[in-house]
Amino acid sequence: MATVRRASTRARSAIFAPIGDEGRAVRVENRLAEAIRSGVLADGERLPSEPELASMLGVATVTAREALVALRAQGLVTTTRGRGGGSFVAGPRRAERPT
C-alpha cells in the first residue's frame, strides 16, 4: 500500500475552518475542490462524515451533502455506502492534472 503524505496541520486546519454566509454549499465545494487539486487532501483519503464535515465548517448537514454531490459530479470524490463506506478523495481527473 502506498504511503499517504499528509499536508501540514495548519493547511488542513484551514480547509476545515468555518466559512462565511454567502453561497455556503458552493464555498464548501470550492474549498474542498481546491484542497484536493492542490494535494492537501490526498487521493484515497477518507473525508469526515457529512455531519462531522458540516460541524467543522459551521454549516448545515444538507449544505455539506450538497457540496459532496457537486464534488462527485466533478469526479473529485467518490462515496460508498455500508461498512467501511464514506466519502473518499478521488483526486483530480487526469485531464485536469498538470503534465
Side-chain angles (χ1 to χ4, degrees), residues 1-7 12 39-46 89:
M1 180 175 249
T3 303
V4 176
R5 190 179 136 265
R6 294 277 183 161
R12 293 180 64 78
V40 174
L41 294 175
D43 197 11
E45 183 172 345
R46 184 182 189 152
V89 174

Side-chain angles (χ1 to χ4, degrees), residues 8-22:
S8 73
T9 302
R10 186 174 183 186
R12 293 180 64 78
S13 294
I15 293 163
F16 297 114
I19 62 171
D21 293 327
E22 192 175 316

